[in-house]
């Protein structure tokens, strides 16, 4: 079990928190993470694409010219696929792209992604990004830069943290997510992961309940 420092809004260390090895020091299964990410991206597809077949395009009800005697190939409709304005052969139709992914696979992939970031020293914990009760993007970014320097940062907040959410939502280098919505894709896309102390407790509490439910 490793530990990371807890940083306050002033950038000073106020304590440390243990990162459970079961979550932050697990074996990273790359094929599993790939499968889970592909399934997540597939589920995000609307699947509303549609191309018209020759029976759905307008026109073409009349035979364009007689069957024989013209020297040309026989044609039954100007809306056949070989004509401009004709139907599409085997075109896309509305469909559901979602894939079934068991909860245990999602959880294992997330543990592997978090472990990869933690082993590289790219998981941080802060008390809060701003002090007081007034949102401030400038103050929040200043606190964030004391722990994370990259341009792709995943900030994990608890579900009730409106102050920090409003403060960071317009920062282009930050992607905000609630602890209960943390997923493999967002962790892998980000170069660094920053938790608030409350969000980390909420995430670890949810992970423990999930593991108990699987037993």
């Amino acid at each position: 079990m490793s530990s990371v420092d807890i940083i306050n809004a002033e950038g000073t260390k106020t304590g440390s928190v243990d990162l459970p090895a079961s979550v932050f020091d697990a074996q990273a299964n790359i094929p599993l993470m790939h499968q889970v990410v592909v399934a997540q991206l597939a589920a995000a597809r609307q699947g509303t694409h549609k191309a018209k077949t020759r029976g759905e395009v307008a026109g073409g009800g009349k035979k364009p010219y007689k069957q024989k005697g013209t020297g040309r190939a026989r044609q039954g409709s100007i809306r056949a696929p070989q004509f401009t304005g004709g139907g599409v052969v085997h075109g896309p139709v509305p469909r559901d792209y979602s894939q079934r992914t068991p909860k245990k696979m999602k959880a294992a992939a997330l543990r592997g992604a978090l472990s990869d970031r933690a082993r590289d020293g790219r998981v941080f914990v802060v008390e809060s990004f701003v002090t007081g009760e007034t949102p401030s993007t400038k103050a929040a970014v200043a606190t964030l830069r004391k722990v994370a320097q990259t341009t792709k940062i995943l900030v994990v907040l608890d579900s009730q943290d409106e102050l920090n959410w409003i403060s960071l939502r317009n920062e282009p280098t930050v992607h905000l997510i609630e602890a209960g919505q943390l997923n493999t894709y967002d962790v892998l896309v980000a170069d660094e992961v920053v938790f608030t102390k409350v969000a980390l407790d909420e995430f670890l509490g949810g992970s423990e309940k999930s593991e108990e439910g699987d037993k």
Side-chain angles (χ1 to χ4, degrees):
M1 180 180 294
S2 60
S3 63
V4 294
D5 296 336
I6 301 176
I7 306 300
N8 61 14
E10 287 72 34
T12 58
K13 176 183 175 181
T14 60
S16 62
V17 61
D18 293 328
L19 299 179
S22 60
V23 178
F24 291 94
D25 193 21
Q27 179 65 36
N29 187 330
I30 295 177
L32 173 61
M33 290 191 290
H34 176 267
Q35 181 177 344
V36 170
V37 167
V38 168
Q40 182 177 340
L41 294 178
R45 297 183 66 175
Q46 287 185 318
T48 54
H49 41 39
K50 177 69 172 73
K52 291 184 178 181
T53 65
R54 63 180 294 175
E56 295 169 327
V57 292
K62 179 183 177 182
K63 188 173 177 65
Y65 46 82
K66 64 181 183 178
Q67 181 84 347
K68 296 179 177 293
T70 65
R72 302 174 64 187
R74 56 192 176 188
Q75 303 293 342
S77 170
I78 59 171
R79 292 296 179 255
Q82 68 268 25
F83 287 107
T84 300
V88 178
V89 180
H90 304 307
V93 294
R95 55 167 290 194
D96 180 13
Y97 281 94
S98 62
Q99 304 175 17
R100 180 183 175 276
T101 309
K103 290 182 179 179
K104 288 186 178 181
M105 289 178 60
K106 293 180 181 178
L110 177 57
R111 289 194 298 268
L114 288 172
S115 298
D116 179 73
R117 295 295 180 263
R119 278 191 285 268
D120 290 341
R122 292 185 285 173
V123 173
F124 308 96
V125 180
V126 300
E127 281 188 348
S128 179
F129 292 96
V130 295
T131 57
E133 300 297 328
T134 304
S136 172
T137 299
K138 182 178 179 179
V141 172
T143 301
L144 180 65
R145 293 308 173 195
K146 293 171 183 176
V147 293
Q149 304 297 327
T150 61
T151 58
K152 292 183 179 180
I153 305 171
L154 179 64
V155 175
V156 187
L157 304 175
D158 67 272
S159 57
Q160 305 300 320
D161 194 351
E162 185 177 354
L163 177 64
N164 287 314
W165 191 282
I166 294 176
S167 298
L168 286 170
R169 65 185 177 183
N170 290 327
E171 171 56 34
T173 63
V174 172
H175 177 65
L176 296 173
I177 194 169
E178 292 184 7
Q181 301 297 318
L182 193 59
N183 59 83
T184 306
Y185 174 76
D186 286 326
V187 173
L188 292 178
V189 167
D191 293 323
E192 296 172 300
V193 182
V194 182
F195 288 86
T196 61
K197 179 61 171 63
V198 178
L200 180 62
D201 292 339
E202 182 178 314
F203 170 68
L204 294 177
S207 298
E208 292 176 358
K209 291 180 180 180
S210 178
E211 290 178 0
E212 291 176 358
D214 292 337
K215 293 179 180 180

